[in-house]
Amino acid sequence: MNDARTGSLSRATIAGSTRWSRRLRDVRRRVPRAVWIVALAIAAVYLLYLLAANVILRTGLLRGWLDADPSKLHLDYGSAWSPYPGRVNVRDLSLRFQDDNVQFFLELERASLTVDLLALTKRTFHVSALDGSGASFRFRHKLADAQGQEGRLAAYPPIPGFPDPPVRKPRPKEPIPDETYDLWTIHLEDVTTSIRELWIMEYRYRGAGTLSGGMRLRPARELWVSPSTLVTHDGVLSIGDRDILVGSDARVDAQVDAYDVRIPRGAGVLRQLTARADMRGELTDLAPFRAAYLNDVPIEVEGGRGPIGIVARVDHGVVHPDTRLEWRSAGVTLRAGGAVVNGDVAFVGHVDPGRGGAAAALVDPDARPALVGDLALGRARLTAGTDPLVLVEDARATIATGNTDLAETFPLSWAKVDAADVRAPDLPKLGALLLPAGVAIRKGSAGGSIHASYRGGAMDARTDLVVRDVDVVSERVGVAASGKAWGVISSRDVHSGVSFSGSGVALERAAVRIGDSRAEGLSIAVDAVDGLVRTKSSSAVDTTVGVRVTPGDQVLRLGASLASLPKPVGEAPAGPDARATIRVHGAAGGVDVRVLDARDGDLVVRGRIRKPSRTRAVGAFLFEVGLLRVGLEIAGGETHVRPFASRDWLDAQTR
């Protein structure tokens, strides 16, 4: 029975094969022979394409064609294959490029590309569509000189195959002429990919996001970035490897106009950039900014955590008036030596549009647009250890530059500082931090205000200070008093000099000790009739001060005791106050003080004393009481009284 079944199956199989063969012969008779030839030719071409394309992709022939100048353009990938003409699937794709100004490195973990095969015959790698994932993009701008920018360069992205730091070299003397130009063009369109890293200059983003757009690159000739969009969510922004922003949600739209890479130098390439960015997140720390930009400044920066929002608009390299940055923090700390400053900070950066804008009008008469930063400092304190030295309840500062072109430098054009409530509750501890050795404040407190403005090199400032029960001592001198001081500073050009005319000090209930001599109950007023600090060639101070001290008899007895003057001088009739006009010149070579005129009742004093650097003081004074004249000569660290000295003697001694 089994044999019968087997035979039946065999006959059925043979009958089925016969039917299919008959049908195939019928189809062949109905389809023209030419169609069969075309179909076989297409199949053969497809098989030939699969063989040739995948051999080119897998053996690295494509890499060799594109890498005509690997120092400028280099394409690489881990594996690639093509399922049909024009379609390529690739893994671990990388593209590296540099010209005279920029370098970048693009990596994709996976990508599917639609390639224009005809364009390959024109030495153009044209991708009309790219769908990828796991993109990493690193970009850095070449600098003219690395010196002084070591901190920033340390945060730049490393790019395999390119040396560090990225410094521009002189242009080659013989650029590639058009008739021999044969480098491959890279043209990417309709690119869409997820990202894992964006590292542009010192700023690095890691986290979720998508990137779409395109570019065209002709090495040593032209670069163009089509309108492109970056969207990120809940990522981390850092300077190099140091985090500065978390929870970052951002959208960036940007394009770079096609330009000849041989023409712009340095930051001039930014004039091809048009961009719009919106970002929100939480700033975590200011320390990375200090390490990148203020590495040579002996001030440590800590804290700064707080919300930040950025809206940036750039039109062909020029910052648009819609640009705005807002940040606030309840804790920023600065450390310098043993001093610590901390406080609340709020910052707003924006663009003053120019004409019609108050800040821009102050920058220059033409009222150009200005980048403006407004800083508010609240509840700030300067401490040494746990002791508060200076308290600032509320201070505000505004800085501005009259330039909004990213391709240019940003010199300070205008600034303003207002601190209405500044207090030093414990002057002894503050003095220990600021005063030189040998000078100390034993007690006292102070408080006041500071107002200053700067515009295009010109400066105006005023400081008002009230001191209470201050006692300052050194080895031979001591002053105890209460009163006030004010500083008035102005300059048309701070690079040439600064005037402090109008500054002064007024002390009440003052006690003055010089050596073993002492005077009490004095009122002292010192006014800078004119004062100038020259800075253009060599630093020097020139000032004329007016001094008034009441009561006059105390001053007369103190002066006579100090100079060991004859009794008639010390007992001369004193006036209600003593007045003096003194000219002071100070420079690197020493100090020169001229008493132009000093009067106390019947006593008149004139003279000069000089203290050259590294030598002892020398000088002479003439004391006149009626017909009595007494000279005082200072030399070699000693003083000598010259009875019956004349004015000619004084002139000879003080030339």
Side-chain angles (χ1 to χ4, degrees):
M1 180 174 294
N2 289 337
D3 292 340
R5 289 181 178 176
T6 300
S8 299
L9 289 172
S10 299
R11 287 191 295 274
T13 300
I14 294 172
S17 299
T18 303
R19 286 195 298 274
W20 278 108
S21 299
R22 190 179 302 115
R23 291 177 182 175
L24 182 59
R25 287 194 298 271
D26 293 341
V27 170
R28 288 176 177 174
R29 284 194 296 270
R30 289 196 293 268
V31 176
R33 181 180 180 83
V35 174
W36 281 106
I37 294 174
V38 171
L40 290 174
I42 291 174
V45 170
Y46 174 67
L47 292 174
L48 182 61
Y49 166 80
L50 288 179
L51 177 63
N54 286 285
V55 166
I56 292 172
L57 292 172
R58 291 179 179 273
T59 60
L61 289 174
L62 180 61
R63 298 185 186 92
W65 294 341
L66 294 176
D67 284 358
D69 187 355
S71 66
K72 294 186 177 296
L73 176 66
H74 176 66
L75 177 72
D76 199 6
Y77 48 85
S79 62
W81 64 98
S82 176
Y84 54 85
R87 191 67 172 178
V88 176
N89 297 320
V90 63
R91 293 188 182 276
D92 300 325
L93 174 70
S94 65
L95 175 65
R96 186 185 68 200
F97 167 77
Q98 74 167 333
D99 60 23
D100 290 340
N101 292 303
V102 301
Q103 298 172 334
F104 70 74
F105 184 55
L106 172 65
E107 290 183 299
L108 286 168
E109 293 178 347
R110 181 200 61 80
S112 294
L113 298 75
T114 301
V115 181
D116 184 346
L117 299 179
L118 292 178
L120 294 174
T121 64
K122 301 176 182 179
R123 304 186 70 81
T124 298
F125 184 63
H126 181 195
V127 176
S128 58
L130 186 152
D131 181 16
S133 64
S136 171
F137 181 72
R138 298 184 175 190
F139 173 94
R140 57 192 197 183
H141 191 276
K142 292 183 179 179
L143 302 176
D145 188 358
Q147 186 174 2
Q149 304 196 62
E150 292 81 3
R152 184 184 180 199
L153 287 169
Y156 268 30
I159 296 182
F162 289 158
D164 294 314
V167 177
R168 286 196 302 273
K169 297 181 179 179
R171 293 185 185 276
K173 296 182 179 179
E174 297 182 0
I176 305 173
D178 291 340
E179 56 271 18
T180 60
Y181 182 87
D182 62 350
L183 301 181
W184 277 72
T185 296
I186 305 294
H187 187 185
L188 306 179
E189 292 184 286
D190 194 16
V191 174
T192 302
T193 180
S194 64
I195 63 171
R196 55 186 172 86
E197 177 191 63
L198 289 176
W199 199 339
I200 299 176
M201 309 293 279
E202 58 266 40
Y203 292 97
R204 183 185 188 189
Y205 172 81
R206 291 161 292 157
T210 58
L211 176 66
S212 61
M215 62 171 287
R216 183 177 67 247
L217 170 64
R218 295 182 64 214
R221 285 296 187 272
E222 182 186 61
L223 175 64
W224 170 67
V225 178
S226 65
S228 302
T229 299
L230 167 69
V231 178
T232 67
H233 176 65
D234 199 25
V236 177
L237 185 67
S238 60
I239 294 181
D241 294 324
R242 305 183 66 180
D243 295 348
I244 58 171
L245 191 70
V246 297
S248 171
D249 291 334
R251 177 187 174 96
V252 180
D253 299 288
Q255 69 181 72
V256 177
D257 294 345
Y259 72 97
D260 190 331
V261 300
R262 296 167 293 182
I263 297 176
R265 294 288 285 172
V269 69
L270 295 175
R271 292 199 175 101
Q272 318 304 320
L273 172 67
T274 298
R276 175 189 179 103
D278 295 84
M279 182 187 305
R280 294 290 183 273
E282 180 154 353
L283 191 68
T284 59
D285 194 2
L286 293 176
F289 291 97
R290 185 261 177 191
Y293 305 114
L294 302 172
N295 194 39
D296 56 344
V297 177
I299 298 177
E300 297 294 330
V301 183
E302 300 174 1
R305 192 175 191 95
I308 186 170
I310 301 173
V311 176
R313 308 287 185 265
V314 177
D315 186 0
H316 292 90
V318 177
V319 183
H320 192 272
D322 289 344
T323 297
R324 189 174 183 85
L325 183 152
E326 296 184 12
W327 161 66
R328 65 179 183 274
S329 174
V332 176
T333 300
L334 306 179
R335 299 181 184 274
V340 178
V341 179
N342 57 57
D344 303 338
V345 175
F347 179 80
V348 176
H350 59 98
V351 176
D352 192 297
R355 301 190 181 279
L362 288 169
V363 171
D364 63 50
D366 296 330
R368 296 173 54 193
L371 289 179
V372 182
D374 296 312
L375 178 69
L377 180 65
R379 293 180 296 178
R381 59 176 54 200
L382 167 66
T383 60
T386 59
D387 301 320
L389 304 182
V390 178
L391 305 176
V392 180
E393 187 61 31
D394 183 28
R396 298 181 180 275
T398 299
I399 58 175
T401 175
N403 171 42
T404 56
D405 189 339
L406 297 178
E408 297 180 2
T409 58
F410 291 86
L412 178 65
S413 299
W414 180 70
K416 184 179 181 181
V417 176
D418 292 291
D421 186 2
V422 180
R423 286 166 285 153
D426 194 340
L427 283 179
K429 292 176 180 176
L430 181 62
L433 184 68
L434 301 178
L435 294 179
V439 181
I441 302 177
R442 295 195 294 195
K443 66 176 183 177
S445 62
S449 62
I450 300 172
H451 305 280
S453 65
Y454 170 89
R455 181 177 64 199
M459 181 178 67
D460 291 289
R462 182 178 179 92
T463 300
D464 290 282
L465 187 66
V466 176
V467 295
R468 300 176 181 87
D469 300 322
V470 175
D471 189 359
V472 182
V473 297
S474 66
E475 183 179 356
R476 288 185 48 81
V477 178
V479 177
S482 294
K484 60 183 180 179
W486 58 96
V488 180
I489 300 174
S490 62
S491 175
R492 293 184 178 181
D493 181 6
V494 295
H495 301 291
S496 297
V498 176
S499 168
F500 54 91
S501 302
S503 302
V505 176
L507 301 178
E508 299 293 336
R509 303 186 308 277
V512 178
R513 175 185 61 83
I514 303 177
D516 296 328
S517 302
R518 183 178 180 87
E520 297 182 346
L522 302 178
S523 294
I524 303 173
V526 180
D527 296 289
V529 180
D530 61 69
L532 177 65
V533 178
R534 295 194 302 271
T535 58
K536 191 167 187 178
S537 54
S538 59
S539 297
V541 178
D542 283 293
T543 181
T544 301
V545 297
V547 181
R548 186 180 72 255
V549 183
T550 304
D553 59 338
Q554 288 268 36
V555 179
L556 186 58
R557 283 194 295 271
L558 180 62
S561 174
L562 285 173
S564 300
L565 296 174
K567 190 174 181 179
V569 175
E571 294 179 352
D577 56 20
R579 298 173 180 267
T581 302
I582 302 172
R583 185 73 183 177
V584 179
H585 173 82
V591 179
D592 186 354
V593 179
R594 290 178 178 266
V595 178
L596 303 178
D597 185 80
R599 297 176 181 269
D600 187 357
D602 291 344
L603 177 65
V604 178
V605 182
R606 297 182 180 88
R608 179 182 185 185
I609 185 169
R610 290 169 289 175
K611 174 61 176 70
S613 60
R614 301 178 183 178
T615 62
R616 293 184 175 184
V618 295
F621 293 91
L622 182 65
F623 297 82
E624 298 183 57
V625 180
L627 297 176
L628 177 63
R629 294 185 177 91
V630 177
L632 184 68
E633 184 179 354
I634 303 170
E638 298 180 353
T639 59
H640 302 278
V641 177
R642 305 294 185 189
F644 311 110
S646 66
R647 293 177 181 175
D648 291 338
W649 171 85
L650 178 65
D651 291 341
Q653 295 294 322
T654 57
R655 285 195 183 98

